Short mmCIF file of all heavy atoms in Angstrom, two decimals:
data_model
loop_
_atom_site.label_atom_id
_atom_site.label_comp_id
_atom_site.label_asym_id
_atom_site.label_seq_id
_atom_site.Cartn_x
_atom_site.Cartn_y
_atom_site.Cartn_z
N LYS A 1059 20.42 25.42 12.70
CA LYS A 1059 20.45 25.42 14.16
C LYS A 1059 20.81 26.81 14.70
O LYS A 1059 20.24 27.28 15.67
CB LYS A 1059 21.46 24.38 14.65
CG LYS A 1059 21.54 24.27 16.18
CD LYS A 1059 22.43 23.14 16.64
CE LYS A 1059 21.76 21.82 16.43
NZ LYS A 1059 22.53 20.69 17.03
N GLU A 1060 21.78 27.48 14.01
CA GLU A 1060 22.15 28.84 14.43
C GLU A 1060 20.99 29.79 14.23
O GLU A 1060 20.78 30.72 15.05
CB GLU A 1060 23.37 29.30 13.63
CG GLU A 1060 24.68 28.63 14.02
CD GLU A 1060 25.83 29.04 13.12
OE1 GLU A 1060 25.63 29.04 11.88
OE2 GLU A 1060 26.90 29.32 13.64
N GLU A 1061 20.23 29.65 13.14
CA GLU A 1061 19.08 30.50 12.91
C GLU A 1061 18.05 30.36 14.02
O GLU A 1061 17.47 31.35 14.47
CB GLU A 1061 18.43 30.15 11.58
CG GLU A 1061 19.23 30.61 10.37
CD GLU A 1061 18.49 30.38 9.06
OE1 GLU A 1061 17.25 30.29 9.09
OE2 GLU A 1061 19.14 30.31 8.01
N GLU A 1062 17.88 29.14 14.50
CA GLU A 1062 16.91 28.91 15.58
C GLU A 1062 17.29 29.62 16.87
O GLU A 1062 16.44 30.08 17.63
CB GLU A 1062 16.76 27.40 15.84
CG GLU A 1062 16.06 26.65 14.72
CD GLU A 1062 16.02 25.15 14.99
OE1 GLU A 1062 16.38 24.75 16.12
OE2 GLU A 1062 15.61 24.38 14.10
N THR A 1063 18.59 29.71 17.13
CA THR A 1063 19.06 30.35 18.37
C THR A 1063 19.10 31.88 18.29
O THR A 1063 19.33 32.55 19.29
CB THR A 1063 20.47 29.82 18.74
OG1 THR A 1063 21.39 30.18 17.70
CG2 THR A 1063 20.45 28.33 18.92
N LEU A 1064 18.88 32.44 17.12
CA LEU A 1064 18.91 33.88 16.96
C LEU A 1064 17.70 34.55 17.60
O LEU A 1064 17.74 35.73 17.97
CB LEU A 1064 18.94 34.26 15.46
CG LEU A 1064 20.26 34.06 14.71
CD1 LEU A 1064 20.06 34.34 13.24
CD2 LEU A 1064 21.34 34.97 15.29
N PHE A 1065 16.60 33.81 17.72
CA PHE A 1065 15.35 34.41 18.17
C PHE A 1065 14.87 33.78 19.48
O PHE A 1065 15.05 32.60 19.72
CB PHE A 1065 14.28 34.23 17.08
CG PHE A 1065 14.64 34.87 15.78
CD1 PHE A 1065 15.25 34.13 14.78
CD2 PHE A 1065 14.42 36.23 15.56
CE1 PHE A 1065 15.62 34.72 13.58
CE2 PHE A 1065 14.78 36.81 14.37
CZ PHE A 1065 15.40 36.06 13.38
N TYR A 1066 14.24 34.60 20.30
CA TYR A 1066 13.71 34.12 21.59
C TYR A 1066 12.55 34.99 22.00
O TYR A 1066 12.28 36.05 21.38
CB TYR A 1066 14.81 34.14 22.66
CG TYR A 1066 15.35 35.52 22.95
CD1 TYR A 1066 14.83 36.30 23.99
CD2 TYR A 1066 16.40 36.06 22.20
CE1 TYR A 1066 15.31 37.56 24.29
CE2 TYR A 1066 16.89 37.34 22.48
CZ TYR A 1066 16.35 38.08 23.53
OH TYR A 1066 16.83 39.33 23.79
N GLY A 1067 11.83 34.56 23.02
CA GLY A 1067 10.73 35.34 23.58
C GLY A 1067 9.58 35.55 22.61
O GLY A 1067 8.92 36.59 22.63
N LYS A 1068 9.31 34.57 21.78
CA LYS A 1068 8.26 34.72 20.78
C LYS A 1068 6.88 34.62 21.43
O LYS A 1068 6.62 33.76 22.26
CB LYS A 1068 8.41 33.65 19.69
CG LYS A 1068 7.46 33.81 18.52
CD LYS A 1068 7.78 32.88 17.35
CE LYS A 1068 9.01 33.36 16.62
NZ LYS A 1068 9.22 32.59 15.35
N LYS A 1069 6.02 35.60 21.07
CA LYS A 1069 4.63 35.62 21.56
C LYS A 1069 3.72 35.76 20.37
O LYS A 1069 4.00 36.47 19.42
CB LYS A 1069 4.42 36.82 22.51
CG LYS A 1069 5.25 36.78 23.77
CD LYS A 1069 4.96 38.02 24.61
CE LYS A 1069 5.84 38.07 25.86
NZ LYS A 1069 5.61 39.31 26.65
N ILE A 1070 2.57 35.06 20.42
CA ILE A 1070 1.60 35.10 19.35
C ILE A 1070 0.26 35.58 19.88
O ILE A 1070 -0.21 35.10 20.92
CB ILE A 1070 1.43 33.71 18.69
CG1 ILE A 1070 2.77 33.22 18.14
CG2 ILE A 1070 0.40 33.73 17.57
CD1 ILE A 1070 2.74 31.82 17.58
N SER A 1071 -0.34 36.54 19.19
CA SER A 1071 -1.66 37.05 19.59
C SER A 1071 -2.41 37.42 18.31
O SER A 1071 -1.90 37.26 17.19
CB SER A 1071 -1.53 38.25 20.52
OG SER A 1071 -0.80 39.30 19.89
N SER A 1072 -3.61 37.93 18.50
CA SER A 1072 -4.40 38.39 17.35
C SER A 1072 -4.76 39.86 17.56
O SER A 1072 -4.92 40.32 18.68
CB SER A 1072 -5.69 37.56 17.20
OG SER A 1072 -5.40 36.26 16.79
N VAL A 1073 -4.83 40.58 16.44
CA VAL A 1073 -5.27 41.98 16.47
C VAL A 1073 -6.39 42.13 15.44
O VAL A 1073 -6.42 41.43 14.44
CB VAL A 1073 -4.12 42.95 16.17
CG1 VAL A 1073 -3.12 42.98 17.29
CG2 VAL A 1073 -3.43 42.57 14.85
N GLY A 1074 -7.29 43.05 15.72
CA GLY A 1074 -8.41 43.26 14.80
C GLY A 1074 -8.97 44.64 14.92
O GLY A 1074 -8.42 45.51 15.62
N PRO A 1075 -10.09 44.91 14.26
CA PRO A 1075 -10.71 46.23 14.34
C PRO A 1075 -11.12 46.56 15.76
O PRO A 1075 -11.53 45.69 16.54
CB PRO A 1075 -11.94 46.09 13.42
CG PRO A 1075 -11.65 44.92 12.54
CD PRO A 1075 -10.82 43.99 13.37
N GLY A 1076 -11.02 47.84 16.09
CA GLY A 1076 -11.40 48.28 17.44
C GLY A 1076 -12.90 48.35 17.62
O GLY A 1076 -13.37 48.46 18.76
N ARG A 1077 -13.65 48.34 16.52
CA ARG A 1077 -15.11 48.34 16.63
C ARG A 1077 -15.66 47.17 15.82
O ARG A 1077 -15.04 46.69 14.89
CB ARG A 1077 -15.69 49.67 16.15
CG ARG A 1077 -15.41 49.99 14.71
CD ARG A 1077 -16.21 51.22 14.24
NE ARG A 1077 -15.93 51.52 12.84
CZ ARG A 1077 -15.14 52.49 12.41
NH1 ARG A 1077 -14.54 53.28 13.30
NH2 ARG A 1077 -14.97 52.72 11.14
N VAL A 1078 -16.85 46.72 16.19
CA VAL A 1078 -17.47 45.57 15.55
C VAL A 1078 -17.88 45.96 14.13
O VAL A 1078 -18.51 47.00 13.91
CB VAL A 1078 -18.68 45.10 16.36
CG1 VAL A 1078 -19.38 43.93 15.64
CG2 VAL A 1078 -18.25 44.67 17.76
N THR A 1079 -17.56 45.11 13.19
CA THR A 1079 -17.87 45.42 11.79
C THR A 1079 -19.36 45.31 11.53
O THR A 1079 -19.91 46.09 10.75
CB THR A 1079 -17.11 44.43 10.85
OG1 THR A 1079 -15.71 44.63 11.06
CG2 THR A 1079 -17.46 44.67 9.41
N GLY A 1080 -20.01 44.36 12.14
CA GLY A 1080 -21.46 44.18 11.90
C GLY A 1080 -21.74 42.75 11.50
O GLY A 1080 -20.85 42.01 11.10
N GLU A 1081 -23.01 42.37 11.58
CA GLU A 1081 -23.38 41.00 11.27
C GLU A 1081 -23.59 40.82 9.77
O GLU A 1081 -24.04 41.73 9.07
CB GLU A 1081 -24.67 40.61 12.01
CG GLU A 1081 -24.51 40.52 13.52
CD GLU A 1081 -25.76 39.99 14.20
OE1 GLU A 1081 -26.58 39.38 13.49
OE2 GLU A 1081 -25.91 40.20 15.40
N HIS A 1082 -23.28 39.62 9.27
CA HIS A 1082 -23.57 39.22 7.90
C HIS A 1082 -22.90 40.09 6.84
O HIS A 1082 -23.38 40.24 5.74
CB HIS A 1082 -25.09 39.22 7.65
CG HIS A 1082 -25.87 38.49 8.69
ND1 HIS A 1082 -25.63 37.16 8.97
CD2 HIS A 1082 -26.88 38.89 9.51
CE1 HIS A 1082 -26.46 36.75 9.93
NE2 HIS A 1082 -27.22 37.80 10.29
N VAL A 1083 -21.75 40.69 7.22
CA VAL A 1083 -21.00 41.48 6.24
C VAL A 1083 -19.99 40.55 5.55
O VAL A 1083 -19.27 39.80 6.22
CB VAL A 1083 -20.26 42.65 6.92
CG1 VAL A 1083 -19.43 43.42 5.90
CG2 VAL A 1083 -21.26 43.58 7.59
#
Side-chain angles (χ1 to χ4, degrees):
K1059 182 173 286 187
E1060 287 175 315
E1061 286 187 23
E1062 289 178 9
T1063 62
L1064 286 174
F1065 300 95
Y1066 62 93
K1068 187 170 286 190
K1069 298 179 183 177
I1070 301 175
S1071 59
S1072 291
V1073 290
R1077 61 171 181 256
V1078 177
T1079 298
E1081 292 186 19
H1082 310 303
V1083 178

